[in-house]
Amino acid sequence: EAGVAQSPRYKIIEKRQSVAFWCNPISGHATLYWYQQILGQGPKLLIQFQNNGVVDDSQLPKDRFSAERLKGVDSTLKIQPAKLEDSAVYLCASSPARTQYFGPGTRLLVL
Amino acid sequence: GIQVEQSPPDLILQEGANSTLRCNFSDSVNNLQWFHQNPWGQLINLFYIPSGTKQNGRLSATTVATERYSLLYISSSQTTDSGVYFCAVDADTDKLIFGTGTRLQVFP
């Protein structure tokens, strides 16, 4: 069984630029999550989808972050414009029920 | 919200040693998972264990839900066990709250 796929693996941008991350969950997993992990901390949930609907986006900075999950499969997370404090690893996870399975993450550096 | 505390924050072991990692949480939970984040950043699911005891090879975990703690045991540690171990919980919201992690370094 293929795992959660994410791309790109690394991204370096300048502040005020925009960036997008892509996630392909494990086939058949209805729930998809995006997390932000700042260096030295545990992951923090940004947004949760159930199929193509948003379940929880209370921690998503909506003035600059947006996410969508078209057709209930792949998802994209966008930051526009990026700030220095957005430098982090962005992790995507999917779940068939309770157990969450994580992708390799995208490391973002904002200069 | 639920608070999740892990101890110790750092652990240094020689290969072959055993260790116990602890996770305390502040409220009742329906979901508790242990993860290993390897040095390349990949989070690997170790156990889904809201209660009881499970074992997988050299790793085992016990959660005492009534006393709000979970333990992860690593026996005969290997250098490949190095990384950060996270405990994560949720209280029936499907929203995992992660602890601060235990950084483990295993030397040959």
Side-chain angles (χ1 to χ4, degrees):
Chain A
E1 176 181 86
V4 177
Q6 290 188 246
S7 67
R9 294 296 310 277
Y10 305 91
K11 191 74 178 178
I12 300 174
I13 62 172
E14 295 188 349
K15 61 183 179 184
R16 291 188 288 275
Q17 286 187 323
S18 62
V19 64
F21 313 127
W22 173 81
C23 172
N24 181 240
I26 295 172
S27 177
H29 285 194
T31 311
L32 184 147
Y33 309 82
W34 283 100
Y35 289 83
Q36 180 192 59
Q37 186 177 21
I38 293 172
L39 188 64
Q41 299 180 17
K44 183 188 81 171
L45 180 70
L46 292 174
I47 188 167
Q48 176 186 348
F49 292 94
Q50 180 77 18
N51 296 309
N52 60 349
V54 175
V55 174
D56 184 343
D57 63 357
S58 58
Q59 301 293 310
L60 189 73
K62 299 180 189 65
D63 57 334
R64 297 184 301 106
F65 286 64
S66 65
E68 61 181 4
R69 189 181 184 195
L70 298 176
K71 300 180 182 178
V73 182
D74 294 7
S75 178
T76 56
L77 176 69
K78 297 179 181 177
I79 307 175
Q80 182 178 10
K83 292 186 175 182
L84 298 177
E85 58 261 35
D86 298 331
S87 294
V89 177
Y90 291 85
L91 294 161
C92 178
S94 70
S95 172
R98 288 287 191 185
T99 305
Q100 295 188 25
Y101 299 89
F102 283 77
T106 296
R107 293 180 181 274
L108 174 67
L109 179 61
V110 182
L111 302 175
Chain B
I2 295 177
Q3 304 298 312
V4 184
E5 295 182 355
Q6 292 185 241
S7 61
D10 294 280
L11 193 54
I12 300 174
L13 300 174
Q14 194 156 27
E15 217 169 18
N18 302 329
S19 61
T20 301
L21 284 58
R22 186 177 179 105
C23 171
N24 292 332
F25 42 96
S26 61
D27 207 342
S28 300
V29 298
N30 284 351
N31 181 357
L32 188 146
Q33 293 183 238
W34 282 97
F35 293 91
H36 174 218
Q37 190 163 41
N38 64 25
W40 295 270
Q42 175 74 56
L43 268 168
I44 299 164
N45 193 307
L46 298 176
F47 294 104
Y48 167 73
I49 187 165
S51 64
T53 298
K54 290 186 178 179
Q55 180 157 8
N56 184 2
R58 297 181 296 104
L59 273 58
S60 64
T62 295
T63 297
V64 183
T66 53
E67 297 188 23
R68 298 180 185 168
Y69 73 88
S70 183
L71 302 173
L72 178 69
Y73 306 95
I74 305 173
S75 64
S76 304
S77 57
Q78 301 176 357
T79 56
T80 51
D81 295 331
S82 297
V84 182
Y85 289 80
F86 287 104
C87 165
V89 304
D90 90 61
D92 203 23
T93 62
D94 287 339
K95 182 171 124 175
L96 281 179
I97 307 298
F98 281 76
T100 50
T102 291
R103 182 174 300 275
L104 174 64
Q105 297 180 72
V106 182
F107 291 95

